[in-house]
Amino acid sequence: MHLHKYEKIWLTLGIASLIVFLSVVGVSAFSQNHTPAGGMETIDPKKVNETAPFDNPGVTQLDDDTYQATIVAMAFGYNAPELRVPVGKEVIFKVTSTDVVHSFTIDNTKVNMMVVPGRITTKSYTFEKPGTYLILCNEYCGTGHHMMYTEIEVYEE
């Protein structure tokens, strides 16, 4: 196969650009210790309901200004009893899945996480306004996906 001089030049530039790009991404990821969003904690998806804190999902107060919301995502729903948190307090969401990949998105906030079986996804958020916020799954998880939602109530103390 005969390549024209300009084809060789463009191929060389393209391959060199690809090598530089991949090197920059690889070096920055490993040198800065990047991990997947939400952390690296693992859990046995078959024993989620037996493993703390997922054996008792819901909201718990950790200290005066911090709450933890523990939630289990499963086919077509979230296992979390009444979710109520005060406005202006930090809420640490700990979410896992028992079956397939889900998403945990709180409408009109910056909370948007992938929920993967075998992983514990963590995100911290402080609600600035009281109200009822819709929690949705944005990852198609089966035929009942459109019914997978819950709400969190943010109230004034």
Side-chain angles (χ1 to χ4, degrees), residues 37-89:
M40 295 293 293
E41 290 180 82
T42 59
I43 189 170
D44 183 351
K46 295 175 183 161
K47 297 182 179 177
V48 167
N49 296 327
E50 304 165 13
T51 308
F54 298 102
D55 58 344
N56 188 20
V59 177
T60 55
Q61 186 170 2
L62 302 178
D63 60 37
D64 289 340
D65 294 326
T66 311
Y67 289 77
Q68 178 175 292
T70 306
I71 301 165
V72 178
M74 62 197 132
F76 320 134
Y78 294 103
N79 182 8
E82 184 178 9
L83 295 173
R84 293 185 75 234
V85 295
V87 70
K89 305 291 183 180

Side-chain angles (χ1 to χ4, degrees), residues 136-155:
L136 298 167
C137 175
N138 286 327
E139 189 71 31
Y140 182 74
C141 54
T143 56
H145 165 75
H146 63 283
M147 299 183 319
M148 188 167 174
Y149 66 91
T150 190
E151 294 178 334
I152 184 167
E153 181 186 344
V154 180
Y155 63 92

